[in-house]
Amino acid sequence: MIGIYLSYTAFGVFVCMDNDISGKRTYEVIDGNKAVITTYEGKFLVMDCEIQGDTLYIDKSMYSFIEMNDIEIVNHKYENVFVS
C-alpha cells in the first residue's frame, strides 16, 4: 500500500513539474541551449533545450547546475514550451 502511494506521489510531482515548466512562457536561456529552470545555492539549475522560432523544447532528462558568474543570459517570451 505504501509503495503504491509513493508511486502516485512521485508521479504527481513529475506531472506538476512538467505543468509548471511548460506552463511558463518566459525563460532565460544560456548559450542558446540551456533553459534556466530555477536557482539553488547560488547556482542555476538548467535543462538542455532547443529553440525553434518562438517555440522552446526542454529536455528534462538532461539537467545540470552551473555557476551564476560571467554568463550571458537571454530572456525571451516563447509562444509554446514543450517538455519531454
Side-chain angles (χ1 to χ4, degrees), residues 2 9-10 13 23-24 27 35 41-43 45 53 57 67 69 71:
I2 292 175
T9 302
V13 168
K24 183 178 166 186
Y27 275 92
E41 294 186 359
K43 295 182 180 181
L45 169 62
Y57 297 92
E67 295 292 331
N69 303 332
I71 295 177

Side-chain angles (χ1 to χ4, degrees), residues 12-26:
V13 168
F14 285 115
V15 169
C16 287
M17 184 177 80
D18 284 351
N19 289 338
D20 287 348
I21 293 172
S22 62
K24 183 178 166 186
R25 294 289 176 253
T26 302

Side-chain angles (χ1 to χ4, degrees), residues 5 18 35 49 61 63 65:
Y5 173 76
D18 284 351
C49 70
S61 68
Y63 67 90
F65 290 96

Side-chain angles (χ1 to χ4, degrees), residues 14 17-18 21 30 33-40 43-49 57-67 83-84:
F14 285 115
M17 184 177 80
D18 284 351
I21 293 172
I30 299 169
N33 65 356
K34 300 208 181 304
V36 176
I37 305 303
T38 190
T39 58
Y40 180 75
K43 295 182 180 181
F44 289 122
L45 169 62
V46 297
M47 292 183 177
D48 286 0
C49 70
Y57 297 92
I58 298 175
D59 180 1
K60 71 177 180 185
S61 68
M62 301 298 295
Y63 67 90
S64 60
F65 290 96
I66 59 174
E67 295 292 331
V83 181
S84 61

